[in-house]
C-alpha cells in the first residue's frame, strides 16, 4: 500500500518519520517528483533502485535544505558558491568532490568520489527537508526508462504499491529535470540540460563544456555520466562468478560461506543471508575495502562469487561486469573527456 499524504504539517511529519525509518517517500519538487530515501541509509537507497527496477546503479542527487547543508556534503568551489547564490533553491544540480565528512552513503553516489547536490524549490520539498533534517537522495519517481512524473498521480501510475508514500505537492512548476553541471574538473561540464538554461549559467561563470546535446531526451540514462567514465571501478582485476578465491585473490562473497572458504584470507560478504538489497547496500564499500586492503596485502585480484541475475542482482552484476571489463581509459577521465567533446 502506498499512502497518499497531504503536504500539511501532519503529512510532512509522517513523511519525515517514514524516511527516518528507512522507507521510500515520493515528493514534489519544482522540476519533477523525486523518489526520496534517507541519503545516509544504504539499505533505503538500495530499495530506491529496487522500486525503480533499475538494471544498473546511476548516481543519485542528494537534495539539501539550503546551500550550507549542501556544502557540508561536497567541497564547494568559488564557482559553485556563485551558482548556488544565483540559482538555489532551483533546478540546478552541481557535481562536486565529496566532502570528507559527507553523510551520504556510497551507494547513493554509485561509489563515485563526486556527489551531485541540489537545493530544490517548492514548498513541499522544502518543508520535508526541514522536517527530516538531513539530505534526501532522490532520482525521478518513475520506473526505470519511463517518463519523469510531474504530478502525484503520475507517481502512483508508475510506482503504486512499490513505495511507502507519496507527498502530494501539486503539479511541478518547471516540469522537466534539473540542469546537471559537473564542477569537479578543470572546466565546468554540462551533463544534462534542464530547468536552468546553460546560457544563464555561462553569463555568470563563463564557458561551459557541452557533452550532452540539447536534444538529449530527459531519461534515466543520459549518455554523459557513463561516457565520462566517472563510474567507480577497483584497480585490482575482478573475476566474475568465481566459486572461490584463486591464489592471491580477495573474495567478494554472497550468501552463506561454504566450509571450505571459511579460512579464506581477505573476504567481504555482500550478504551472508543472501539478501540482494543488503548486497546492493554493501557493494561499493566492499569493492573499495577489498581493493585497498588487497593491494596493501599484495593481492592481485578480486574473485566475485555469483549473484543471482534477478531484481537488484541485475544491477549488482552490471556493476561487477563493468569492474571486470578491460579499462583502457581507467584513471584518465580528462583524456576521455577531451575525446567526448573534441
Ligand atoms: O530535477 C531533478 O534533477 C530530479 C528531481 C527529483 O530532483 N531528479 C532527477 O534525478 O532527475 P535522476 O536520478 O533521474 O537524474 C540524476 C542525474 C542522472 O543523469 C545522474 O547520472 C546524474 O544526475 N548524476 C548524479 N550524480 C552524479 C555524479 N556524481 N556524477 C555525474 N552525474 C551524476
Ligand atoms: Mg530520471
Amino acid at each position: 500500500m502506498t499512502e497518499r499524504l497531504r503536504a500539511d504539517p501532519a503529512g510532512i511529519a509522517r513523511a519525515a518519520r517514514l524516511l527516518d525509518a528507512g522507507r521510500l517517500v515520493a515528493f514534489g519538487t519544482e522540476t519533477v517528483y523525486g523518489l526520496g530515501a534517507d541519503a545516509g541509509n544504504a539499505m533505503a537507497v538500495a530499495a530506491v533502485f529496487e522500486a525503480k527496477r533499475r538494471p544498473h546503479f546511476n548516481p543519485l542527487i542528494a537534495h539539501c535544505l539550503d546551500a550550507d547543508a549542501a556544502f557540508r556534503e561536497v567541497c564547494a568551489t568559488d564557482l559553485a558558491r556563485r551558482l548556488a547564490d544565483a540559482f538555489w533553491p532551483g533546478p540546478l544540480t552541481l557535481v562536486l568532490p565529496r566532502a570528507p565528512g559527507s553523510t551520504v552513503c556510497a551507494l547513493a553516489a554509485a561509489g563515485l568520489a563526486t556527489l551531485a547536490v541540489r537545493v530544490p524549490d517548492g514548498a513541499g520539498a522544502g518543508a520535508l527537508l526541514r522536517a527530516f533534517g538531513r539530505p534526501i537522495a532522490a532520482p525521478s519517481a518513475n520506473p526505470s526508462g519511463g517518463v519523469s512524473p510531474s504530478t502525484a498521480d503520475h507517481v502512483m501510475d508508475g510506482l503504486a504499491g512499490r513505495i511507502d508514500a507519496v507527498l502530494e505537492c501539486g503539479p511541478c512548476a518547471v516540469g522537466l529535470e534539473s540542469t546537471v553541471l559537473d564542477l569537479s574538473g578543470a572546466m565546468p561540464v554540462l551533463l544534462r540540460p534542464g530547468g536552468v538554461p546553460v546560457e544563464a549559467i555561462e553569463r555568470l561563470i563563463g564557458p561551459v563544456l557541452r557533452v550532452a546535446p540539447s536534444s538529449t531526451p530527459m531519461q534515466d540514462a543520459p549518455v554523459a555520466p557513463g561516457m565520462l567514465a566517472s563510474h567507480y571501478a577497483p584497480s585490482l582485476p575482478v573475476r566474475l562468478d568465481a566459486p572461490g578465491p584463486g591464489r592471491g585473490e580477495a573474495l567478494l562473497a554472497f550468501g552463506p560461506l561454504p566450509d571450505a572458504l571459511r579460512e579464506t584470507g581477505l573476504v567481504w560478504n555482500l550478504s551472508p543471508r543472501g539478501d540482494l538489497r543488503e548486497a546492493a547496500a554493501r557493494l561499493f564499500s566492499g569493492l573499495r575495502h577489498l581493493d585497498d586492503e588487497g593491494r596493501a596485502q599484495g593481492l592481485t585480484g578480486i574473485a566475485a562469487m555469483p549473484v543471482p541475475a534477478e531484481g537488484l542482482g541485475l544491477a549488482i552484476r552490471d556493476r561487477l561486469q563493468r569492474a571486470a571489463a578491460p579499462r583502457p581509459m581507467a584513471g584518465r577521465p580528462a583524456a576521455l573527456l577531451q575525446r567526448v567533446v573534441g
Side-chain angles (χ1 to χ4, degrees), residues 13-85:
R14 168 90 184 132
R17 274 201 309 277
L18 285 169
L19 288 174
D20 205 47
R23 316 298 282 270
L24 306 185
V25 179
F27 62 100
T29 75
E30 82 283 35
T31 60
V32 299
Y33 274 70
L35 177 51
D38 176 353
N41 180 338
M43 285 292 275
V45 172
V48 166
F49 289 105
E50 199 172 26
K52 282 184 66 97
R53 300 184 200 261
R54 230 179 216 186
H56 54 263
F57 298 117
N58 247 13
L60 306 183
I61 299 169
H63 295 71
C64 300
L65 177 61
D66 52 28
D68 285 344
F71 293 150
R72 281 196 290 273
E73 303 298 331
V74 293
C75 304
T77 59
D78 176 52
L79 289 191
R81 287 184 194 285
R82 273 157 56 198
L83 290 165
D85 279 347

Side-chain angles (χ1 to χ4, degrees), residues 158-185:
L159 295 174
R162 305 185 61 81
I163 64 177
D164 297 287
V166 55
L167 187 64
E168 299 187 340
C169 302
C172 301
V174 176
L176 93 178
E177 293 95 334
S178 62
T179 303
V180 181
L181 189 69
D182 185 352
L183 294 177
S184 67

